[in-house]
Amino acid sequence: MTNTNQDPSGSNVETLLTTLNGLRSLRSSVTHYFRNVADGPGPKESEERSDDTTNTSETASSILENIKNQLRDLETQVGGLNPPTTTTAVINLGNTGLLSLDPSPDKLRLYHQLLDCYTWTEKVHFYSTTMNQLLLGNNPKRSVNSLAKRRRPAQFNHNVSQQQVDGMIQGINQMFQVMTLNVSRPFGNNAVVQVTLGRVLRAVVTLKGLLIEWVVVRAFNEPFLDEEGKVDLYTPSQYKVFQKVTDNANAAMLNFCSPGFSDLSVRSFFTWLHSYQSLFTDVCKRCGNHLHNHMPPTWREFRTLDPFHEECKP
Ligand SMILES: [Zn+2]
């Protein structure tokens, strides 16, 4: 039975099993023949000696005839077996191979199914390896790889060096005369930008890498720092105007956010915020008034930076 362990094909195992059964019955017949010859005539039949000799030889020859038939069958079956070729990989079933030693017939069926399954898996593995080699030869560069390259920077925007962030903020600081940006890092690696826009407003912009996380806009006379002397990231302005501007600034932050081009998106946001320098002197683009419901035009169009009242938004 150990031979079946190494047989790669399930159907082949069935043939092998039949052949082995044939071999077993052949050996049994041969044993029977020799026992028959060794016993000789039994004690009861010793009186009729001549008849007994005939009986013994007749039985022996009939057994021999039987053996001859069985041997012929066995040779035919052995001829039908596929010899294990060197190209076929030997499947190592590990401990599950011991299933084949279980004499219980239902367990033996399980073993054959297991062999089939392993053979199938081996084939899948072989085909996929071949397919992989073929595909590597015809690399679909233009569609797959360039897409992956373009998307990759999006994942690393939050994890950039401090120098890179400082450089970018420095660049924006030089773009605008009336707007000053101060970078501090009260919470470790991530920068907090304190923005002073003329004598109109103060804003705190929290960055995570190159992505803007949170914006708070307050009046010029409201303090940057809280009671403990730390940069106040969350307390909203006490003025309704700047609460509204804070809401719009967060909307703008989300609007300008484009993960592939974070440098540009931060620049666009600060350009947009810079347009609030004339918050109290601008007239609404739609109604032409300074005030509407006691509020100046707190909305700035993202693209044109045109001022609008909340109620006059296009
Ligand atoms: Zn208006």
Side-chain angles (χ1 to χ4, degrees):
M1 285 302 277
T2 46
N3 279 344
T4 52
N5 273 349
Q6 293 169 356
D7 209 296
S9 157
S11 58
N12 213 355
V13 169
E14 300 282 357
T15 325
L16 191 61
L17 202 64
T18 328
T19 316
L20 284 170
N21 279 334
L23 179 65
R24 199 180 296 139
S25 55
L26 176 65
R27 290 176 70 176
S28 157
S29 300
V30 171
T31 315
H32 185 208
Y33 170 77
F34 280 116
R35 189 177 292 139
N36 189 62
V37 172
D39 287 350
K44 279 182 187 174
E45 297 133 29
S46 53
E47 292 164 12
E48 305 164 24
R49 202 175 172 85
S50 59
D51 282 358
D52 185 58
T53 318
T54 327
N55 277 347
T56 311
S57 69
E58 269 178 8
T59 318
S61 62
S62 84
I63 295 174
L64 270 179
E65 187 67 29
N66 196 18
I67 288 174
K68 212 174 84 184
N69 289 339
Q70 282 179 338
L71 188 62
R72 201 183 52 225
D73 288 349
L74 186 67
E75 274 174 347
T76 321
Q77 282 168 340
V78 167
L81 280 174
N82 293 326
T85 51
T86 47
T87 49
T88 320
V90 174
I91 297 178
N92 183 16
L93 291 182
N95 285 339
T96 41
L98 298 175
L99 271 177
S100 67
L101 303 177
D102 200 318
S104 146
D106 53 333
K107 293 263 180 66
L108 203 61
R109 223 179 70 232
L110 183 69
Y111 171 71
H112 294 153
Q113 287 169 351
L114 199 66
L115 265 187
D116 279 342
C117 180
Y118 269 77
T119 315
W120 191 83
T121 319
E122 281 291 309
K123 274 183 190 164
V124 168
H125 187 245
F126 173 72
Y127 290 148
S128 57
T129 312
T130 314
M131 185 60 94
N132 185 35
Q133 281 165 357
L134 283 174
L135 284 175
L136 278 180
N138 307 303
N139 204 350
K141 241 178 215 164
R142 292 182 65 181
S143 55
V144 179
N145 281 9
S146 58
L147 202 65
K149 268 180 198 164
R150 215 179 299 149
R151 280 182 181 173
R152 187 151 292 172
Q155 298 170 356
F156 297 106
N157 279 332
H158 60 277
N159 189 19
V160 293
S161 67
Q162 295 187 357
Q163 289 82 3
Q164 203 176 334
V165 178
D166 286 350
M168 184 190 67
I169 298 296
Q170 198 65 38
I172 295 170
N173 208 357
Q174 286 164 0
M175 280 165 65
F176 307 106
Q177 300 267 312
V178 290
M179 191 163 73
T180 50
L181 279 67
N182 287 310
V183 181
S184 62
R185 288 190 166 79
F187 310 108
N189 192 36
N190 293 318
V192 172
V193 185
Q194 291 162 267
V195 187
T196 310
L197 180 59
R199 294 181 64 81
V200 180
L201 60 80
R202 282 172 164 173
V204 178
V205 180
T206 314
L207 293 172
K208 189 167 177 66
L210 286 176
L211 293 175
I212 300 173
E213 284 265 300
W214 191 247
V215 186
V216 179
V217 181
R218 301 190 198 101
F220 183 74
N221 60 340
E222 288 181 294
F224 268 132
L225 309 178
D226 57 13
E227 295 91 20
E228 296 173 18
K230 288 180 181 170
V231 182
D232 192 347
L233 300 182
Y234 300 111
T235 313
S237 170
Q238 55 174 312
Y239 304 105
K240 234 177 171 183
V241 173
F242 293 105
Q243 289 170 12
K244 208 71 218 173
V245 175
T246 301
D247 289 347
N248 292 338
N250 280 294
M253 172 262 280
L254 294 174
N255 175 71
F256 290 124
C257 178
S258 55
F261 309 92
S262 51
D263 195 7
L264 181 71
S265 69
V266 175
R267 248 171 242 276
S268 307
F269 172 79
F270 279 106
T271 309
W272 178 87
L273 190 66
H274 177 258
S275 69
Y276 278 93
Q277 63 164 317
S278 50
L279 175 64
F280 297 107
T281 52
D282 275 336
V283 291
C284 173
K285 187 90 177 173
R286 187 163 173 203
C287 67
N289 295 328
H290 283 97
L291 294 176
H292 187 274
N293 285 341
H294 314 294
M295 293 273 273
T298 48
W299 175 258
R300 292 291 183 278
E301 200 33 48
F302 293 136
R303 222 174 287 171
T304 59
L305 305 180
D306 286 336
F308 288 96
H309 293 116
E310 292 297 320
E311 295 80 2
C312 303
K313 265 194 272 184

